[in-house]
Amino acid sequence: MLAGKHILLIIGGGIAAFKALDLIRRLRERGAEVTPVLTRAGQEFVTPLSASGLAARKVYTDLFDLTDEAEMGHIELSRAADLVVVAPATADLLGKMAGGLANDLASTLLMATDKRVLVAPAMNVRMWEHPANQRNIVTLKQDGVLFVGPTDGTMACGEFGPGRMAEPLEIVAAVEAALMDGPLKGKHVLVTSGPTHEPIDPVRYIANRSSGAQGTALARALSALGADVTFVTGPADVPPPDGVKVVQVQTAGQMLEAVQAALPASAAVFAAAVADWRVARTSDQKIKKDQAGSLPVLEFAENPDILATVSQMKQGRPALVVGFAAETNDVIAHATAKRERKGCDWIVANDVSPATGIMGGSENAVTLISDQGAEAWPRMGKDDVARQLAARIAEVIGGDA
């Protein structure tokens, strides 16, 4: 459920902060990425080193970190996550949230975010029951803030009653529930990825340099938005994402069969770099080098056109069909022509000429081509490209299942 999800975890100041360390571990066990933010009071109970070690990510503490704020880090942090979790959520943090205050990193992130917020309150029973705190809770719930806990129990101060922070596994369950309401919930999306391997003989094959990284990132991003993803992949360099249905294939013919078996779907995204040709007659034995020096002659046949096949379906065609066009020259012209020829709705074009270093790399620079024209996106990481494209797909097919 949490594979590929990004959680921004704000750790407030209270004895329950020690549970936040276990929460980080539990979330990461389930595939989530966790970025911790420690308040000044939170650092009195757990150290940035502890949180960073468990999260395997940088811990943020100071709003006025010049390096990060030069790039408006508080805005990026607050909006890059799928969910913001506050644990423990102290009376002070709840009061700041309800009052719209933003005088430190944690409260500024909470004001700047456009994502859902889940709080796990933790405080003394008297503080929990105080009328001011109860007013804040009413306000926050009206604002759409989600709550998990608190529970009844013995406090660190020795008193008994409501105010104990929910246990880490309870918070994990609340996180999973909060993330089930993505815009693509109930939608089936098909994604192809990676290269295909077209055999010459039992030990040789025709392939290309596709790593499968972009398709994998896209499947992960679509799943994070709630989609039920079928991921049909060739023999890629990167492992398939968690939380999706994975169908592994080798050849273009196998990929077409897997795609057809996966339909119907609300959307189909063809990010795989499918070989255009295969050897017409493969050898069932290894082709031996001729001692006289003559070279083997290979006859080629055209592979099935998976994108065109699905784009031109008369019945059961997905509402949105997206193709990819990796080009080395005249990128926009070739990609535009490909979209018209195949009959798909969108083409994601990218320049994979050697000078760009994109093929097999960690970044991409794409142009989204539709009937509205060509929209160039800046060069960015493949995960960022995937999130942006997944959001566009959700705008088209999201809504009621």
Side-chain angles (χ1 to χ4, degrees):
M1 178 62 207
L2 297 183
K5 304 293 187 181
H6 183 193
I7 309 299
L8 182 65
L9 175 61
I10 296 174
I11 303 174
I15 192 62
F18 78 93
K19 293 183 181 180
L21 298 179
D22 189 37
L23 176 60
I24 293 173
R25 183 173 67 87
R26 300 292 187 178
L27 290 169
R28 294 198 67 214
E29 282 177 350
R30 288 154 177 80
E33 298 175 358
V34 181
T35 297
V37 173
L38 272 168
T39 65
R40 181 170 296 180
Q43 294 174 67
E44 298 293 328
F45 297 91
V46 297
T47 67
L49 182 61
S50 298
S52 177
L54 288 167
R57 297 175 74 94
K58 177 179 178 179
V59 173
Y60 294 87
T61 58
D62 188 4
L63 176 61
F64 299 106
D65 183 313
L66 296 181
T67 300
D68 295 313
E69 282 310 299
E71 299 175 353
M72 292 296 177
H74 66 286
I75 301 294
E76 176 62 25
L77 271 178
S78 68
R79 299 181 185 177
D82 296 298
L83 181 71
V84 180
V85 178
V86 187
T90 62
D92 180 66
L93 277 171
L94 294 179
K96 286 181 177 178
M97 293 171 65
L101 301 181
N103 62 354
D104 61 4
L105 179 58
S107 56
T108 301
L109 291 172
L110 289 162
M111 278 288 287
T113 191
D114 58 356
K115 303 299 170 59
R116 301 188 80 178
V117 177
L118 170 69
V119 298
M123 63 195 72
N124 171 269
V125 60
R126 304 300 177 195
M127 297 174 70
W128 174 255
E129 293 176 343
H130 194 283
N133 188 60
Q134 291 300 310
R135 286 196 300 271
N136 291 337
I137 292 167
V138 171
T139 297
L140 292 174
K141 288 183 175 180
Q142 290 174 342
D143 289 344
V145 174
L146 304 174
F147 280 71
V148 53
T151 61
D152 288 355
T154 302
M155 309 289 175
C157 60
E159 295 186 10
F160 182 92
R164 282 174 58 97
M165 188 172 91
E167 295 302 316
L169 288 179
E170 295 177 85
I171 300 173
V172 168
V175 168
E176 291 176 337
L179 290 173
M180 285 179 63
D181 294 332
L184 292 179
K185 181 182 178 182
K187 301 295 183 180
H188 177 211
V189 181
L190 169 65
V191 178
T192 69
S193 182
T196 62
H197 287 180
E198 310 299 331
I200 297 172
D201 62 22
V203 298
R204 302 180 180 93
Y205 56 83
I206 300 169
N208 58 58
R209 293 188 174 91
S210 172
S211 67
Q214 187 63 82
T216 297
L218 182 57
R220 186 184 300 115
L222 290 163
S223 178
L225 295 181
D228 176 14
V229 177
T230 298
F231 184 66
V232 180
T233 178
D237 295 337
V238 298
D242 295 324
V244 305
K245 180 182 178 181
V246 179
V247 182
Q248 295 182 322
V249 300
Q250 292 285 324
T251 68
Q254 293 170 353
M255 184 169 283
L256 176 60
E257 291 178 1
V259 164
Q260 291 173 326
L263 294 174
S266 299
V269 185
F270 296 99
V274 182
D276 292 319
W277 307 285
R278 68 183 186 277
V279 175
R281 286 182 290 275
T282 61
S283 174
D284 58 2
Q285 296 180 348
K286 181 182 177 182
I287 300 172
K288 305 299 290 184
K289 186 183 296 185
D290 192 297
Q291 297 302 314
S294 61
L295 299 176
V297 176
L298 301 178
E299 181 183 348
F300 290 93
E302 192 171 354
N303 268 328
D305 191 325
I306 302 173
L307 175 59
T309 298
V310 175
S311 296
Q312 297 170 23
M313 289 174 59
K314 300 300 182 184
Q315 292 183 330
R317 182 190 188 276
L320 180 66
V321 178
V322 183
F324 273 65
E327 304 289 349
T328 58
N329 63 289
D330 299 326
V331 174
I332 304 304
H334 286 316
T336 300
K338 179 176 181 178
R339 174 181 172 270
E340 294 172 354
R341 187 171 65 252
K342 307 288 187 180
C344 57
D345 301 297
W346 298 349
I347 281 283
V348 180
N350 59 334
D351 185 346
V352 295
S353 58
T356 67
I358 283 175
M359 194 69 165
S362 61
E363 293 185 328
N364 213 343
V366 307
T367 299
L368 181 63
I369 299 173
S370 67
D371 58 4
Q372 302 297 310
E375 177 187 339
W377 294 0
R379 183 162 178 155
M380 64 184 90
K382 288 183 176 179
D383 285 338
D384 293 323
V385 171
R387 283 191 283 265
Q388 191 162 323
L389 183 58
R392 291 294 185 88
I393 292 170
E395 290 175 3
V396 175
I397 67 167
D400 296 333

